[in-house]
Amino acid sequence: MSDELQRIMAIDDPYLLLREVTTRLAAAQQEVTELARLRRRVVQDLHAQGMSYAQIAEKAGLSRGRIHQIRHTGPAPEGAFLGTGAVTVVTPLRWDDAKKRPVVAMADMNSGKRLEELAKSYGFDVSSGHVQVSGEVDLNRDGLVVVCGPGMSQAMRDLYAQDPVLAWEHPEGEPWALVDRRTGTAYHAGADLEPSRPHDVGYLGRLPRPGGNGSVLAIAGIHTAGSLGVVHLLTSDLSALWGQVGDRHFSTLVSVEYDPETEEPQSAELLCPLYLHDEEATA
């Protein structure tokens, strides 16, 4: 029996006991989920390296049937692209002059809800939050997935500024653009060009938290359709993305074609490579 369990069992106050047991059960379930995800990942990695299930079983001291079961059950390893343990999806609040209160844009709301559904499908406990109208947001939290561009938050602008390859630029009097420093190419939203077209550019990256401990998964479009397109890419191709970047810091740009009436993505594909930041630092 662990010291923590003994501590909880010794609590006399029934209400405190109920609260402590509930909290501990939630934490234990998160740990069980992550251990199951890690176990499945190890089996998949070993199998991908050429080992048979029988060989893995022999080396691990488990039955072949058990190894095969682990390979095909439990939370999928690629879910770790979103975080570990629990995920918090953060979307920006905007001030509505007509309603005289903060609101969430429909596209941002859809992005947030779809990210929450995606995280739940991988076994995560999911919560939501907001970047305040003032731009304030606490980025030093575990499991953060933030849908917000640099124009709405200084904290997010500072976060994006850490990217060694891709940059947000906003010349005075000009619309926002995303620039690939490696190639010198500037990408603009179709809505900001003449003639305009239903095309946007989205940013996807995992960047260091301001406190230096952990990471933030950052998503933004030049316009809201771009963010929705990035989410569309994640929901359809998370396994491939995870296979290429794992849990490393990275960034990329996404080309998004969308329905001009609904802003729903019709296609979303990478505009540039998945830049791994540790490799860029040594290039």
Side-chain angles (χ1 to χ4, degrees), residues 33-161:
T33 298
E34 290 308 317
L35 286 171
R37 193 189 316 279
L38 178 59
R39 182 176 62 175
R40 182 174 174 182
R41 176 183 171 184
V42 171
V43 171
Q44 289 186 191
D45 288 348
L46 290 172
H47 189 59
Q49 292 168 19
M51 293 186 70
S52 68
Y53 292 138
Q55 290 171 322
I56 297 171
E58 182 181 357
K59 292 283 189 180
L62 299 170
S63 70
R64 180 178 177 179
R66 184 66 174 135
I67 293 298
H68 192 272
Q69 181 187 43
I70 291 170
R71 169 63 179 84
H72 295 285
T73 59
E78 60 264 27
F81 185 94
L82 301 172
T84 58
V87 168
T88 301
V89 178
V90 176
T91 51
L93 292 173
R94 305 163 188 264
W95 183 257
D96 189 307
D97 286 328
K99 296 180 179 179
K100 303 299 182 184
R101 62 180 177 83
V103 298
V104 179
M106 182 60 69
D108 287 336
M109 182 182 297
N110 289 336
S111 291
K113 292 300 181 185
R114 290 170 195 179
L115 285 167
E116 291 175 27
E117 291 168 5
L118 179 64
K120 288 176 182 176
S121 74
Y122 283 100
F124 289 105
D125 288 337
V126 181
S127 58
S128 61
H130 295 295
V131 178
Q132 300 303 308
V133 173
S134 63
E136 294 180 31
V137 58
D138 179 9
L139 297 176
N140 289 310
R141 293 178 282 167
D142 293 334
L144 279 185
V145 181
V146 182
V147 182
C148 182
M152 300 188 68
S153 168
Q154 185 62 51
M156 290 302 296
R157 187 176 300 189
D158 293 341
L159 187 79
Y160 289 120

Side-chain angles (χ1 to χ4, degrees), residues 254-266:
V254 180
S255 172
V256 182
E257 301 285 348
Y258 61 91
D259 184 320
E261 298 296 325
T262 64
E263 290 195 0
E264 283 295 321
Q266 296 180 323

Side-chain angles (χ1 to χ4, degrees), residues 154-191:
Q154 185 62 51
M156 290 302 296
R157 187 176 300 189
D158 293 341
L159 187 79
Y160 289 120
Q162 299 178 84
D163 192 316
V165 191
L166 303 175
W168 290 86
E169 293 191 357
H170 189 206
E172 186 174 353
E174 298 293 329
W176 283 94
L178 278 157
V179 178
D180 185 332
R181 296 190 185 101
R182 172 74 72 80
T183 64
T185 305
Y187 297 95
H188 300 270

Side-chain angles (χ1 to χ4, degrees), residues 20-41:
E20 289 284 325
V21 168
T22 301
T23 300
R24 179 58 184 153
L25 277 172
Q29 184 56 57
Q30 286 184 7
E31 186 173 332
V32 167
T33 298
E34 290 308 317
L35 286 171
R37 193 189 316 279
L38 178 59
R39 182 176 62 175
R40 182 174 174 182
R41 176 183 171 184

Side-chain angles (χ1 to χ4, degrees), residues 173-217:
E174 298 293 329
W176 283 94
L178 278 157
V179 178
D180 185 332
R181 296 190 185 101
R182 172 74 72 80
T183 64
T185 305
Y187 297 95
H188 300 270
D192 298 328
L193 302 175
E194 290 292 344
S196 67
R197 65 187 183 98
H199 172 267
D200 203 1
V201 180
Y203 175 102
L204 170 65
R206 184 182 295 116
L207 302 168
R209 295 197 314 217
N213 181 25
S215 304
V216 177
L217 190 64

